[in-house]
């Protein structure tokens, strides 16, 4: 397939640009943006910079992602009938976590490869390190988005538990605090470490208040003057009401307790309890949800969604899902402060907080470099009954459309195509047709690969594809003079015309060499010999040779005669059959009866009377004609003798 692009601004001869296009190839139109958000166009090409193919299927590490997730996908389709009642949600959450674990495993492996690639000593290609690092960022973003979708759409966490899930989400994806903690605690005097207060602040920002209290205790031990303030702040951290998973208190009780605690924190600020310690005072301001104090920690928060979760933790701990989008939008605006525009990742997360599933899928389809993410996420959300009403204008739903695109991409790879088969299988509308179209385009480079493709087609009763593949393999075999293999494939394809062609090659080969090749195949044709008259003749003719070898001359003679009289034998092979009858005619025992002998004579006369008249013969033709004439004379003589013997024998039998 070719893709034509019309480029305005170019002369008429160059307006059309043609690109070869095949399955699994993705069009990526890339352009750069300036600080004001306006696109910067290349001269002479005002809309497109360059086009490249989707190369993700050729990444060794991403291939593991495709392989592992394939098993999860197929398992989900098979347990669909079991997904009922309360267990449905739990099983879908488990499937979602399995997908995320595969993403994380690939991300960690890619990270190790990126580190090794950047090593100037060990790396063979240091430049590839940047490519791997970029892929790590993409995988990290994929897990971030998937995790949020899991919380909002699959877990469907209510007010209270919702914040707990969001805290876990932030802690999982903002993990710099762990290395910072190891660095500080590994020093001789942690409280004097230059990053000590940064560590305490990050722990508070992530709601890890128990760890923050432990750090404050080290400060209290090292600085007696601030010990009292550390104790008071530590008590505030300890007494902060939190709805834990096993807690039975209601949201109303939590809100009352939290309001009382919040007022106590504000009272300490008003009383200037921490005035002599800017660090402790800043921490207390964070704990009362002071937006200005939070925004001062932009560098430690690192992104707006971390700011959002921290803000909810210390200002709206019982936030309801329906109100999330309001706080998310205001947090994004406050964090960016009009200094920069939202990135594609920001738009995706914002769409999720707005519970706009279709926008999430749309934005991900645009931002990500392959179809894996959107195909599997959409399939999972479809099992959650969240996409049932969204049909596309061309007859398929969103789930099926994305699965078809992903499976098509897999078919571009020499081994991943086998995974794509299962994805097509679970697309009820267009999957079968798409599989038929794609499977015909698989290059059958080896017979082993061809057998895999053939088995897939046979399992799905794809008759036309089975026939086509078998014919291709039969043609390859006949070109390599592998007649047995060619005959086997033509029989498997149930192609009578090709079976006839191969049978003719067998007979011609026999005429030239005087023996058959691939005897096992011919001897075990069975019912397959009924596929064509020529194949039937080949099988029966081989049976005649077997009977002759077993000295079953009468049965052999009867079979030989029936091959000629039934018109199954090709006329060009009659002389060979008559020549095969010659030893039977010369046997001491009368093999052919008088009636059979008359039939042989009639066949011989039909053959000789219908011989074509040639022009001026050359020397070779004269020699061949002499040989044929000699054969005919010998046959006539043998037939005459046998007729006389048969008449005498039959007459004597009648007389007795």
């Amino acid at each position: 397939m070719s893709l034509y692009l019309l480029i305005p601004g170019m002369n008429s001869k160059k307006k059309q640009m043609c690109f070869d296009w095949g399955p699994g190839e993705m069009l990526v139109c890339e352009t750069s943006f300036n600080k004001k958000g306006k696109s910067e166009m290349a001269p002479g090409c005002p809309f497109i910079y360059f086009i490249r193919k989707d190369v993700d299927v050729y990444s060794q590490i991403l291939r593991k992602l495709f392989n592992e997730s394939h098993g999860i996908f197929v398992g989900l389709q098979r347990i669909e009938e079991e997904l009922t009642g309360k267990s449905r949600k739990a099983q879908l959450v488990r499937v979602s976590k399995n997908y995320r674990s595969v993403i994380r495993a690939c991300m960690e492996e890619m990270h190790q490869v990126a580190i090794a690639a950047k090593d100037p000593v060990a790396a063979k290609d240091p430049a590839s390190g940047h490519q791997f690092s970029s892929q790590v960022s993409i995988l990290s973003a994929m897990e971030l988005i998937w995790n949020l979708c899991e919380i909002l759409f699959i877990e469907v966490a209510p007010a209270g538990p919702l914040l707990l899930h969001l805290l876990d989400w932030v802690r999982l994806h903002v993990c710099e605090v762990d290395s910072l903690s190891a660095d500080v605690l590994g020093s001789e005097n942690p409280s004097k470490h230059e990053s000590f207060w940064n560590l305490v602040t990050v722990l508070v920002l992530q709601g890890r208040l128990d760890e923050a209290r432990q750090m404050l205790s080290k400060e209290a031990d090292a600085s007696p003057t601030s010990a009292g303030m550390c104790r008071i702040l530590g008590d505030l951290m300890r007494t902060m009401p939190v709805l834990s998973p096993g807690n039975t208190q209601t949201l109303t009780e939590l809100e009352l307790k939290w309001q009382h605690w919040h007022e106590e924190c504000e009272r300490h600020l008003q009383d200037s309890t921490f005035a002599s310690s800017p660090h402790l005072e800043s921490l207390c301001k964070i704990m009362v949800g002071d937006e200005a104090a939070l925004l001062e920690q932009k560098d430690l928060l690192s992104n707006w969604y971390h700011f959002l979760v921290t803000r909810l933790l210390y200002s709206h701990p019982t936030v309801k899902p329906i109100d999330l989008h309001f706080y998310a939008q205001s947090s994004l605006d406050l964090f960016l402060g009009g200094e920069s525009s939202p990135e594609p990742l920001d738009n995706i997360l914002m769409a999720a907080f707005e519970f706009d599933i279709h926008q999430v899928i749309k934005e991900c389809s645009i931002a990500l470099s392959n179809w894996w993410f959107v195909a599997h996420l959409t399939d999972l959300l479809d099992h959650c009954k969240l996409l049932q009403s969204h049909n596309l204008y061309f007859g398929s739903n969103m789930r099926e459309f994305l699965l078809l695109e992903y499976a098509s991409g897999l078919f571009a790879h020499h081994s991943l195509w086998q995974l794509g088969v299962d994805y097509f299988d679970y697309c009820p509308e267009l999957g079968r047709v798409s599989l038929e179209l794609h499977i015909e385009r698989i290059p059958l480079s080896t017979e082993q690969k061809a057998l895999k493709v053939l088995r897939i087609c046979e399992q799905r009763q794809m008759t036309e594809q089975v026939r086509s593949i078998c014919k291709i393999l039969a043609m390859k075999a006949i070109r390599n003079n592998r007649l047995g293999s060619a005959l086997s494939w033509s029989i498997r394809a149930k192609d009578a015309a090709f079976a006839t062609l191969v049978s003719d090659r067998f007979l011609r080969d026999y005429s030239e060499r005087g023996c058959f090749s691939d005897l096992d195949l011919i001897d075990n044709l069975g019912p397959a010999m009924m596929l064509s008259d020529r194949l039937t003749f080949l099988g029966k003719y081989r049976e005649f040779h077997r009977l002759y070898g077993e000295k079953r001359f009468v049965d052999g003679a009867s079979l030989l005669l029936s091959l000629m009289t039934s018109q199954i034998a090709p006329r060009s092979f009659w002389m060979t059959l008559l020549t095969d009858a010659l030893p039977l005619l010369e046997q001491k025992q009368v093999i052919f009866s008088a009636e059979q002998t008359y039939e042989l004579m009639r066949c011989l006369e039909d053959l000789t009377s219908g011989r074509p008249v040639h022009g001026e013969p050359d020397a070779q033709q004269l020699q061949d004609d002499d040989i044929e004439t000699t054969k005919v004379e010998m046959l006539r003589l043998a037939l005459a003798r046998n007729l006389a013997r048969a008449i005498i024998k039959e007459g004597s039998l009648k007389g007795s």
Side-chain angles (χ1 to χ4, degrees):
M1 175 178 176
S2 295
L3 174 70
Y4 288 89
L5 296 180
L6 296 178
I7 310 297
M10 299 178 71
N11 60 53
S12 58
K13 292 183 178 179
K14 295 184 179 180
K15 278 187 178 180
Q16 284 192 342
M17 298 177 66
C18 179
F19 302 89
D20 289 332
W21 203 249
E25 297 177 356
M26 177 176 286
L27 172 64
V28 181
C29 302
E30 302 197 1
T31 180
S32 61
F33 292 87
N34 58 28
K35 292 182 179 179
K36 294 181 180 179
K38 296 182 178 179
S39 60
E40 296 176 342
M41 304 302 182
C45 186
F47 294 103
I48 295 177
Y49 265 169
F50 59 86
I51 296 176
R52 61 179 170 81
K53 294 182 180 180
D54 175 18
V55 296
D56 288 348
V57 292
Y58 298 100
S59 167
Q60 291 287 340
I61 297 172
L62 290 181
R63 282 175 61 189
K64 294 181 181 179
L65 173 69
F66 301 149
N67 279 300
E68 293 293 330
S69 58
H70 165 262
I72 301 172
F73 170 83
V74 173
L76 176 59
Q77 315 310 309
R78 290 175 178 171
I79 65 171
E80 170 60 30
E81 295 180 359
E82 304 171 14
L83 299 176
T84 56
K86 294 181 179 179
S87 65
R88 182 182 186 89
K89 177 180 172 181
Q91 286 181 300
L92 290 172
V93 170
R94 178 178 54 81
V95 170
S96 179
K97 291 183 185 297
N98 288 342
Y99 275 126
R100 286 201 295 115
S101 67
V102 171
I103 298 173
R104 180 158 285 272
C106 287
M107 181 177 66
E108 291 173 356
E109 184 176 352
M110 188 76 77
H111 180 63
Q112 296 300 320
V113 172
I115 293 173
K118 289 180 180 179
D119 186 348
V121 178
K124 296 180 180 179
D125 183 13
S128 64
H130 299 290
Q131 181 183 351
F132 291 127
S133 296
S134 175
Q135 196 66 61
V136 170
S137 300
I138 294 172
L139 289 170
S140 178
M142 286 165 60
E143 194 201 355
L144 178 76
I145 299 165
W146 192 298
N147 196 352
L148 182 59
C149 291
E150 179 184 299
I151 295 168
L152 300 179
F153 304 135
I154 305 172
E155 287 264 15
V156 197
L162 174 61
L163 183 60
L164 297 179
H165 286 301
L166 291 176
L167 277 171
D168 290 337
W169 175 58
V170 165
R171 291 167 185 170
L172 179 64
H173 296 283
V174 183
C175 51
E176 293 83 357
V177 64
D178 296 323
S179 58
L180 183 62
S181 178
D183 189 27
V184 171
L185 294 175
S187 62
E188 294 182 4
N189 191 350
S191 63
K192 299 300 180 183
H193 193 281
E194 61 180 359
S195 299
F196 174 79
W197 288 110
N198 281 349
L199 174 60
V200 178
T201 304
V202 172
L203 292 172
V204 173
L205 291 171
Q206 291 195 4
R208 298 162 66 168
L209 298 183
D210 289 338
E211 296 173 62
R213 284 173 52 224
Q214 293 175 7
M215 299 303 296
L216 288 179
S217 67
K218 296 183 183 297
E219 168 65 13
D221 294 340
S223 177
T225 56
S226 60
M229 292 182 289
C230 289
R231 180 183 56 78
I232 294 170
L233 190 61
D235 287 342
L236 290 174
M237 293 178 179
R238 179 177 55 81
T239 57
M240 179 182 177
V242 178
L243 183 64
S244 58
N247 202 329
T248 57
Q249 65 181 334
T250 64
L251 285 179
T252 304
E253 292 173 337
L254 176 67
E255 287 175 347
L256 289 173
K257 289 181 180 179
W258 184 86
Q259 190 63 39
H260 177 73
W261 173 83
H262 190 264
E263 290 171 357
E264 186 178 356
C265 292
E266 286 186 327
R267 182 175 56 80
H268 280 292
L269 285 174
Q270 291 170 3
D271 294 344
S272 301
T273 303
F274 309 108
S276 60
S277 175
H279 291 298
L280 295 175
E281 186 175 41
S282 175
L283 291 174
C284 192
K285 286 181 179 179
I286 291 172
M287 290 167 62
V288 298
D290 187 312
E291 289 182 357
L294 284 171
L295 290 171
E296 286 177 2
Q297 308 300 331
K298 262 190 175 184
D299 292 340
L300 297 179
L301 287 166
S302 71
N303 51 63
W304 68 270
Y305 47 88
H306 189 184
F307 170 62
L308 164 67
V309 176
T310 304
R311 182 186 175 198
L312 292 174
L313 174 65
Y314 295 117
S315 300
H316 310 281
T318 57
V319 63
K320 297 177 181 178
I322 197 172
D323 297 324
L324 263 182
H325 73 93
F326 167 75
Y327 293 111
Q329 187 62 59
S330 60
S331 297
L332 176 62
D333 294 339
L334 285 169
F335 195 83
L336 297 182
E339 296 177 3
S340 58
S341 300
E343 298 289 335
L345 177 60
D346 301 330
N347 295 330
I348 295 169
L349 297 178
M350 186 57 64
F353 283 123
E354 292 172 355
F355 288 87
D356 190 342
I357 297 175
H358 302 117
Q359 188 64 24
V360 170
I361 295 170
K362 177 182 176 182
E363 295 283 350
C364 289
S365 299
I366 295 170
L368 299 176
S369 59
N370 63 68
W371 295 107
W372 179 90
F373 182 86
V374 288
H376 290 85
L377 179 61
T378 303
D379 174 66
L380 184 56
L381 294 176
D382 187 71
H383 281 85
C384 296
K385 309 299 182 184
L386 296 173
L387 299 170
Q388 301 303 311
S389 62
H390 192 79
N391 290 322
L392 303 178
Y393 68 90
F394 47 79
S396 180
N397 58 35
M398 181 179 288
R399 170 194 174 271
E400 180 161 325
F401 169 75
L402 294 172
L403 287 176
L404 291 173
E405 290 297 326
Y406 174 64
S408 297
L410 293 177
F411 265 80
H413 192 271
H414 65 88
S415 64
L416 292 179
W417 65 268
Q418 296 175 77
L419 306 181
V421 172
D422 287 324
Y423 289 93
F424 282 133
D425 281 345
Y426 291 107
C427 294
E429 295 291 330
L430 303 172
R432 169 81 177 204
V433 175
S434 299
L435 177 58
E436 289 174 352
L437 291 173
H438 280 83
I439 212 156
E440 290 176 349
R441 301 174 66 180
I442 297 175
L444 306 178
S445 50
T446 64
E447 191 161 316
Q448 182 181 9
K449 186 174 182 178
L451 288 170
K452 288 181 181 178
V453 177
L454 199 58
R455 186 163 55 250
I456 288 168
C457 294
E458 288 175 337
Q459 288 170 351
R460 288 155 182 81
Q461 297 180 342
M462 297 164 61
T463 309
E464 289 302 318
Q465 284 68 31
V466 169
R467 186 171 300 164
S468 175
I469 292 166
C470 289
K471 286 177 72 173
I472 291 170
L473 294 171
M475 286 298 297
K476 285 185 177 180
I478 207 166
R479 287 194 197 104
N480 296 323
N481 205 33
R482 295 167 53 211
L483 298 182
S485 179
L487 182 59
S488 177
W489 286 121
S490 61
I491 292 171
R492 195 163 180 176
K494 295 182 173 58
D495 189 326
F498 204 88
T500 299
L501 173 66
V502 179
S503 300
D504 282 336
R505 287 286 299 270
F506 263 105
L507 295 173
R508 189 175 72 188
D509 191 53
Y510 171 79
S511 298
E512 294 173 355
R513 297 170 52 193
C515 62
F516 283 112
S517 57
D518 300 287
L519 286 177
D520 288 341
L521 175 64
I522 302 174
D523 286 342
N524 295 283
L525 284 174
M529 73 168 64
M530 304 305 294
L531 183 60
S532 76
D533 288 347
R534 197 59 45 84
L535 187 58
T536 303
F537 170 72
L538 178 65
K540 290 297 183 181
Y541 184 56
R542 168 57 192 157
E543 185 180 346
F544 161 74
H545 278 271
R546 183 171 55 79
L547 292 172
Y548 189 90
E550 294 172 359
K551 299 188 183 302
R552 295 167 58 186
F553 299 135
V554 175
D555 293 336
S558 178
L559 177 59
L560 187 68
L561 183 62
S562 67
L563 290 177
M564 298 184 68
T565 56
S566 64
Q567 304 296 317
I568 290 178
R571 191 177 180 85
S572 60
F573 212 74
W574 277 20
M575 183 55 73
T576 303
L577 295 177
L578 289 168
T579 306
D580 288 334
L582 196 57
L584 297 175
L585 294 169
E586 298 293 343
Q587 292 288 328
K588 292 181 179 179
Q589 177 188 356
V590 177
I591 306 298
F592 290 102
S593 66
E595 184 179 355
Q596 289 176 325
T597 308
Y598 281 125
E599 286 293 333
L600 289 175
M601 287 178 168
R602 182 182 62 78
C603 290
L604 179 60
E605 292 305 317
D606 287 348
L607 181 64
T608 53
S609 63
R611 291 176 67 185
V613 179
H614 299 283
E616 291 295 326
D618 57 17
Q620 182 63 45
Q621 187 174 325
L622 287 171
Q623 184 179 351
D624 293 341
D625 286 346
D626 288 343
I627 294 173
E628 290 297 312
T629 301
T630 304
K631 284 183 180 179
V632 170
E633 293 302 324
M634 290 176 63
L635 282 168
R636 282 179 175 154
L637 180 60
L639 287 168
R641 288 178 186 167
N642 190 80
L643 179 60
R645 293 165 59 201
I647 291 173
I648 294 170
K649 179 181 177 183
E650 291 170 10
S652 62
L653 287 173
K654 286 180 182 179
S656 64

